[in-house]
Amino acid sequence: FDGGWERNKLQWKSAELEAMIRSLQPEILINDRLPGCGDYETPEQFVPARPPARTWEACMTMNESWAYNPADTAWKSPGRLIHTLCEVAGRGGNLLLNVGPMGDGALPEEITERMDVIESWMARNGESVIGTTPGLEPWQHYGPSTRREARVYAHLLARPYDDVTVRGVRIRRLRTVRALSTGAELAFETRCGIIDRMINPDPLGEVTITVPDGALDPYATVLALDFEGEPV
């Protein structure tokens, strides 16, 4: 469904319509644009600062138009689109990225260029997005993060000067840190309170990771932190 604001749920007969749909296809997913119904939320043209309480999908365009519009030249850069993908994944959402075909069905060059860049980035870093869950709390890492079991993916949306710090993790469980796009293993050091270091066998602390220029991705660098057991 789209729209939904033209009439209220009584005028739409939303409950009756939803019941009919589910009787015909019990496994269907319905978005929130049938007033008073729906399985997931669909924020449009922005990434929520805080993730919605239930399943959600951000609906975005590459410029400002949903359909083909040759007058609309306000194209988002490939880097901005990739950063949006990282932000959405880090908040546990899905990204719906719109493309508007021309009259002959072909996609404009501006779209295919951006899709090529996203495809290339995903080939290097896709495991940090697909099938992951939200990773760390915002205070633990300055950027989005995701997680798959004992591996945490830290997305760097700004170029680090020398190193990156991840806080509030089980530092003695950390085994390796790698730059996901290159596979290069990165040096790191850990720190915690002096008493914890002396007597706590499993302290929470911070990890400082050295990120050399050769490990940087041109659009968004992803660090894979592998722990033995729960990271936090």
Side-chain angles (χ1 to χ4, degrees):
F1 290 94
D2 200 3
W5 51 82
E6 302 95 337
R7 297 172 181 82
N8 61 40
K9 62 182 180 180
L10 295 178
Q11 293 170 317
W12 279 120
K13 298 184 178 180
S14 295
E16 295 93 327
L17 183 54
E18 181 186 31
M20 181 191 71
I21 292 169
R22 296 194 188 279
S23 71
L24 296 171
Q25 176 51 276
E27 296 182 1
I28 199 168
L29 290 176
I30 301 174
N31 67 13
D32 62 346
R33 301 189 182 196
L34 178 62
C37 301
D39 300 301
Y40 63 98
E41 296 186 31
T42 57
E44 185 170 324
Q45 297 291 47
F46 78 104
V47 179
R50 297 181 182 274
R54 61 175 180 165
T55 305
W56 63 281
E57 176 178 81
C59 308
M60 307 285 289
T61 57
M62 291 193 184
N63 52 10
E64 298 300 321
S65 304
W66 287 99
Y68 174 61
N69 180 1
D72 183 356
T73 59
W75 295 99
K76 301 175 180 71
S77 70
R80 180 178 173 187
L81 294 173
I82 290 170
H83 287 193
T84 298
L85 175 61
C86 296
E87 294 276 10
V88 170
R91 290 170 171 80
N94 186 62
L95 177 61
L96 182 155
L97 187 59
N98 175 76
V99 297
M102 298 182 290
D104 62 358
L107 295 176
E109 183 178 0
E110 292 87 351
I111 288 178
T112 58
E113 288 174 349
R114 283 157 178 77
M115 293 300 289
D116 285 344
V117 174
I118 295 171
E119 178 187 29
S120 178
W121 185 87
M122 285 292 289
R124 301 188 299 272
N125 301 285
E127 74 168 74
S128 71
V129 172
I130 298 172
T132 58
T133 57
L136 305 171
E137 295 294 327
W139 62 268
Q140 293 179 277
H141 164 63
Y142 295 140
S145 63
T146 55
R147 178 178 169 182
R148 178 182 284 103
E149 298 178 347
R151 172 173 276 196
V152 172
Y153 301 96
H155 295 78
L156 312 184
L157 305 191
R159 183 185 180 95
Y161 288 101
D162 297 300
D163 50 46
V164 171
T165 299
V166 177
R167 297 176 173 84
V169 294
R170 299 289 178 182
I171 56 175
R172 289 185 181 160
R173 301 184 189 184
L174 182 61
R175 295 295 174 260
T176 60
V177 180
R178 296 184 183 275
L180 191 59
S181 64
T182 66
E185 189 167 340
L186 304 181
F188 65 88
E189 59 183 30
T190 61
R191 179 177 298 181
C192 65
I194 188 168
I195 300 299
D196 272 340
R197 184 169 291 276
M198 293 172 59
I199 66 175
N200 188 342
D202 192 23
L204 287 169
E206 65 180 33
V207 181
T208 301
I209 305 160
T210 301
V211 186
D213 288 347
L216 298 178
D217 187 279
Y219 295 98
T221 301
V222 183
L223 306 183
L225 289 75
D226 285 310
F227 292 81
E228 185 176 334
E230 286 292 310
V232 295

